[in-house]
Amino acid sequence: MSGGDSAVRTACVVGSGGREHALAAVLARTAEVVVSPGNPGIGGTSPEGHTVTSVATPPEDVEADLYVIGPEAPLVDGLADRLRAAGKLVFGPGADGARLEGSKAFMKELLAEAGVPTAHFGVFTEPGPATAFLRSLRGPWVVKTDGLAAGKGVLVTDVLDEAVADVEAKLSGGAFGEAGRRVVVEEGLTGPECSLLVLCDGERLAPLAPAQDFKRRDDADGGPNTGGMGAYSPVPFVDDALVASLVEEAVAPLVAALRARGIDYRGVLYAGLMLTPDGPKVLEFNVRFGDPETQVVLPRYDGDLCSLLAEVAAGELRSVPRFAPEAAVCVVCASEGYPEKPRTGDPVAGLEEAGAVEGVTVFHAGTAADPARPGGVVTAGGRVLGVTAVGPSLAEARRRAYRAVGAVSWPGMHHRTDIARAAAGDPSTEKAEAAR
Ligand code: AMP
Ligand code: GLY
């Protein structure tokens, strides 16, 4: 398979969030796209004339030349294996590779074995030893649920007692059910964060443009950790040389460790990195595209994404991904109560006006159709919209994104006002950002 000459006529994207909306939009530059189950924002015809359709049909029953699995849960559950067993071309690891994200304990053990720099850690099922380990660390303290927790199972705190209480809540099964009955306790690292998505065809690696995600719910990195409240790309402090060294030191050894276990990983490895004073360290690996990182990385892709992902899926990654110099900024608009207890069912106003702002695409993340309500779209999740703009600079992309955010509303809508602010060059926030 070669770039620009895609054999992919129809692509099936699995998932229903903002990441899948962005994947569908970029894949639809060159192919018809079916999204299972999709959402009310995903549909219509791309500017290139390809149809995009949300379908209730399960992915196993959709006919397509390429399957791209968005979220971690179906990957951990073995959807890629089932599709491959049926002879399909699939982008996304099997259940063996997806365990990297399905168990943070497994991931940390693999990182340690592969010699990838990461935070000092311990894995515990009993509160006593976990608490003793916490007390042996200098703060800040970090407690992570072992299993899948939709980006919400991580506590980072400067208060030791809070970490101790969190260990007890998680291990008692009260906080995250079975997923929480094992915890990873870590030393807290400091430094700016960056997300690096790296394609892997089982052996060869190709990094995509770096992005920065904003994990905390509120401005100036206040409030609880979330799945991500916004993102931007490119990242001024992560240049090509740094990307190359991150691939070499953080990703390649991990892939070698996977291969040594007989795992043929075909998909994307998402490295969550912190650039600490002691050098870059891996916070986590995910086995899928980041959300909302995808919304700012893929629109900048300069090429035929169907061909690129098909090469990965076929184990024949040859293309070198290139990105347009334009910048992209995504601001997540969330429901009241996110992440603990998001309120749903509120009518969303202003979608058309927001989408009309130059360079803007409003990716739907947690919406549902409700023809009985004004506008026909209601909130249906914690993260509702990813309002995304491209522009000639980060500053301009940011201005466009926030102009569009100003057009959408529903009761209790919440968004951060400082996404990409420091990176876009607003000196009043340099200090806050330096602490990131
Ligand atoms: P994770 O899901 O493991 O990436 O954790 C979510 C977020 O928690 C990260 O993006 C960081 O902001 C924060 N975090 C995770 N691990 C650490 C750590 N060891 N030190 C400081 N912050 C962390
Ligand atoms: N934005 C964080 C994630 O996708 O896990």
Side-chain angles (χ1 to χ4, degrees):
M1 220 154 278
S2 64
D5 182 24
S6 176
V8 178
R9 292 194 161 54
T10 308
C12 173
V13 176
V14 179
S16 64
R19 162 186 48 214
E20 288 76 27
H21 194 171
L23 274 162
V26 180
L27 291 167
R29 289 177 186 167
T30 57
E32 314 294 321
V33 180
V34 175
V35 187
S36 166
N39 69 42
I42 302 176
T45 306
S46 69
E48 295 79 10
H50 299 284
T51 60
V52 180
T53 325
S54 291
V55 296
T57 321
E60 285 96 332
D61 297 332
V62 171
E63 270 310 313
D65 302 313
L66 172 70
Y67 296 74
V68 181
I69 302 172
E72 60 277 17
L75 290 165
V76 171
D77 188 45
L79 177 61
D81 301 305
R82 293 196 295 281
L83 289 168
R84 285 194 181 103
K88 312 289 193 192
L89 187 62
V90 184
F91 180 93
D96 54 359
R99 216 180 137 215
L100 260 188
E101 185 166 354
S103 167
K104 286 188 190 284
F106 173 68
M107 173 196 44
K108 291 290 284 193
E109 278 154 19
L110 218 58
L111 292 183
E113 176 192 313
V116 174
T118 188
H120 184 52
F121 73 103
V123 179
F124 303 95
T125 52
E126 297 297 331
T131 301
F133 184 69
L134 273 172
R135 292 190 194 286
S136 77
L137 299 173
R138 268 190 316 152
W141 295 271
V142 182
V143 182
K144 298 182 177 182
T145 303
D146 178 45
L148 293 183
K152 293 165 226 155
V154 177
L155 175 79
V156 182
T157 178
D158 291 320
V159 183
L160 179 60
D161 286 347
E162 235 176 74
V164 170
D166 192 56
V167 159
E168 278 162 10
K170 281 174 175 157
L171 289 182
S172 69
F176 285 96
E178 282 312 306
R181 285 188 190 272
R182 198 148 72 131
V183 294
V184 176
V185 174
E186 290 183 12
E187 63 171 330
L189 303 174
T190 53
E193 279 186 57
C194 121
S195 304
L196 187 63
L197 304 172
V198 181
L199 302 178
C200 175
D201 74 348
E203 189 178 354
R204 284 165 287 251
L205 299 174
L208 304 182
Q212 190 177 38
D213 178 21
F214 292 69
K215 290 261 166 44
R216 298 285 187 136
R217 185 187 59 199
D218 303 329
D219 280 357
D221 289 339
N225 257 310
T226 70
M229 292 300 293
Y232 68 87
S233 176
V235 183
F237 58 85
V238 183
D239 61 14
D240 290 351
L242 180 54
V243 168
S245 80
L246 292 170
V247 170
E248 193 175 320
E249 282 156 39
V251 187
L254 176 80
V255 172
L258 289 171
R259 283 167 62 79
R261 282 176 158 70
I263 297 174
D264 183 18
Y265 191 105
R266 298 185 186 190
V268 61
L269 280 160
Y270 162 140
L273 300 149
M274 196 170 258
L275 308 182
T276 79
D278 303 327
K281 296 199 178 174
V282 171
L283 297 178
E284 62 167 345
F285 268 105
N286 294 320
V287 300
R288 45 156 182 95
F289 285 107
D291 188 347
E293 289 91 333
T294 304
Q295 289 87 313
V296 293
V297 171
L298 291 189
R300 300 185 53 229
Y301 181 61
D302 183 13
D304 173 357
L305 187 66
C306 285
S307 291
L308 182 68
L309 302 192
E311 286 183 10
V312 171
E316 294 169 3
L317 175 56
R318 305 266 179 249
S319 300
V320 177
R322 306 240 175 260
F323 289 82
E326 275 84 41
V329 173
C330 172
V331 180
V332 169
C333 298
S335 298
E336 184 175 309
Y338 178 69
E340 292 94 356
K341 226 176 152 248
R343 192 173 88 185
T344 58
D346 290 306
V348 178
L351 285 171
E352 223 168 283
E353 201 184 332
V357 176
E358 186 181 4
V360 166
T361 309
V362 179
F363 293 120
H364 288 224
T367 64
D370 185 349
R373 306 297 290 271
V377 173
V378 297
T379 61
R383 294 189 292 176
V384 177
L385 302 174
V387 178
T388 305
V390 293
S393 64
L394 276 173
E396 182 55 22
R398 181 169 192 275
R399 260 192 297 277
R400 292 174 179 181
Y402 275 106
R403 199 174 306 145
V405 166
V408 289
S409 66
W410 60 85
M413 175 180 123
H414 171 75
H415 65 85
R416 281 182 65 155
T417 66
D418 60 354
I419 304 300
R421 181 150 68 190
D426 178 344
S428 68
T429 55
E430 254 165 31
K431 230 174 97 212
E433 197 68 8
R436 285 180 56 79

